[in-house]
């Protein structure tokens, strides 16, 4: 089934857009009256504020993907970033998760033609599409995410690579794949979104779907180095999902899940770590 513009659920959003414009007009009118300025000044000031507000709202709506049917949304106690989907790629570039960052992730995976790859928490699919091109037509790549709009964005991306990627809904704690299905699994910025018991369950599931000797590449928060990273980390240390990563215990989590050859290979801006691990042969 192919979605069209006519299928877009816009009625509620249009009402909210007009409501935002009305609130902006009322606010400016109140300020103008308080300053005792002319009616014409009120109109000009109201338009000056309302236009960008409405424009930004329309832009945000336009960035949202069309409602392509995906099936039931899996339930999880982990954090979903579905609300961030329209701006996800922009935010990634703004904080430095760019081509160089993903080059490092792919370099650690050491992908080879013919390998089968799974990207857990694929977001809009940027990393998965590049991985698919590296494993070639003899390999395969799947991307899963719990956020429906992330999966829709990935499916509808205009930056599709040479080799197709199968994107679908899924959660790391219950992977819908047969045992020993993949040579490489990427787990990028997922663990810190999960409660402790789901971290353990998710890593056990990844170990199950990896082939003997298969590699796991983890990218996530790490023990901070430097003044600014330490300050940022202190704001999050009490969060039960993030604490163990910011305390430098990610490597212990991977070892406890039964992975071997676990090593921290690199870091990024003093706050993000890169780990490589393997399923025992």
């Amino acid at each position: 089934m192919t979605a069209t513009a006519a299928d877009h659920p816009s009625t509620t959003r249009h009402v909210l857009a007009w409501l935002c414009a009305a609130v902006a007009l009322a606010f400016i009118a109140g300020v103008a009256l308080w300053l005792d300025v002319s009616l014409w000044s009120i109109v000009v000031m109201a338009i000056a504020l309302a236009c960008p507000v409405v424009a930004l709202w329309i832009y945000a709506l336009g960035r949202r993907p069309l409602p392509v049917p995906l099936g039931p949304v899996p339930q999880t106690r982990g954090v979903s970033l579905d609300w961030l989907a329209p701006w996800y790629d922009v935010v990634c570039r703004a904080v430095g998760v760019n081509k160089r960052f993903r080059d490092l992730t792919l370099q650690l995976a050491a992908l080879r033609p013919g390998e089968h790859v799974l990207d857990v928490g694929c977001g809009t699919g940027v990393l998965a599409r590049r991985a698919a091109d590296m494993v070639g037509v003899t390999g395969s790549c799947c991307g899963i995410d719990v956020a429906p709009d992330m999966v829709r964005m990935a499916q509808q991306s205009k930056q599709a690579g040479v080799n197709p990627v199968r994107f679908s809904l899924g959660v790391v704690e219950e992977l819908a794949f047969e045992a020993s299905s993949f040579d490489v699994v990427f787990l990028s910025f997922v663990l810190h979104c999960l409660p402790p018991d789901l971290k353990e369950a998710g890593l056990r599931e990844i170990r199950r779907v990896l082939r003997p000797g298969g590699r796991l590449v983890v990218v996530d928060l790490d023990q901070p180095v430097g003044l600014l990273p330490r300050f940022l980390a202190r704001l999050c240390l009490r969060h039960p999902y993030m604490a163990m990563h910011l305390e430098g215990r990610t490597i212990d989590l991977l070892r406890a899940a039964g992975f071997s050859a676990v090593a921290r290979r690199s870091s990024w801006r003093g706050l993000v770590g890169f780990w490589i691990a393997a399923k025992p042969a």
Side-chain angles (χ1 to χ4, degrees):
M1 178 179 177
T2 302
T4 64
D7 297 322
H8 206 289
S10 59
T11 303
T12 301
R13 293 169 184 169
H14 286 167
V15 171
L16 290 174
W18 282 111
L19 181 60
C20 287
V23 170
L25 288 168
F27 176 77
I28 286 296
V31 171
L33 289 172
W34 180 61
L35 295 175
D36 192 25
V37 297
S38 68
L39 179 61
W40 176 245
S41 297
I42 293 175
V43 173
V44 171
M45 292 174 68
I47 293 174
L49 181 62
C51 283
V53 168
V54 174
L56 286 172
W57 186 267
I58 292 173
Y59 173 77
L61 297 184
R63 294 281 295 179
R64 290 181 64 86
L66 297 176
V68 175
L70 296 173
V73 178
Q75 299 301 306
T76 181
R77 288 182 288 111
V79 176
S80 169
L81 298 180
D82 197 51
W83 60 273
L84 186 59
W87 308 280
Y88 184 74
D89 290 336
V90 175
V91 171
C92 284
R93 288 192 293 269
V95 299
V97 180
N98 49 24
K99 183 179 182 298
R100 180 180 295 181
F101 184 95
R102 293 189 172 98
D103 282 344
L104 177 56
T105 307
L106 293 165
Q107 179 183 347
L108 291 177
L111 296 175
R112 297 184 290 269
E115 290 192 314
H116 301 281
V117 179
L118 173 63
D119 185 6
V120 177
C122 63
T124 57
V126 176
L127 182 66
R129 286 190 291 272
R130 292 192 56 191
D133 288 343
M134 294 178 71
V135 298
V137 295
T138 57
S140 68
C141 185
C142 298
I144 65 166
D145 203 293
V146 70
D149 275 358
M150 289 289 192
V151 175
R152 292 185 181 110
M153 294 282 286
Q155 290 178 340
Q156 299 173 34
S157 174
K158 296 179 181 179
Q159 300 178 359
V162 175
N163 296 312
V165 182
R166 182 162 63 88
F167 293 107
S168 60
L169 289 170
V171 290
V172 66
E173 64 267 29
E174 193 173 346
L175 296 174
F177 302 99
E178 298 292 333
S180 302
S181 297
F182 299 99
D183 300 289
V184 178
V185 174
F186 290 103
L187 192 64
S188 184
F189 293 116
V190 174
L191 283 175
H192 77 273
C193 295
L194 303 173
D197 61 320
L198 292 193
K199 296 180 198 291
E200 297 171 5
L203 288 172
R204 287 196 300 268
E205 275 289 273
I206 290 174
R207 186 171 178 268
R208 179 184 67 81
V209 302
L210 271 174
R211 292 173 177 169
R215 291 102 66 201
L216 168 63
V217 178
V218 176
V219 181
D220 220 302
L221 299 177
D222 194 15
Q223 192 168 27
V225 176
L227 185 61
L228 180 58
R230 287 196 184 100
F231 171 75
L232 295 174
R234 287 185 66 85
L235 302 178
C236 305
L237 263 176
R238 293 189 178 182
H239 196 290
Y241 295 7
M242 300 183 184
M244 71 178 306
H245 304 290
L246 295 171
E247 291 169 357
R249 293 189 285 131
T250 302
I251 196 166
D252 299 328
L253 186 65
L254 294 171
R255 287 171 176 160
F259 288 95
S260 62
V262 181
R264 181 178 177 277
R265 291 293 182 84
S266 189
S267 64
W268 176 80
R269 296 192 176 179
L271 193 58
V272 174
F274 295 76
W275 293 265
I276 186 77
K279 178 176 178 177

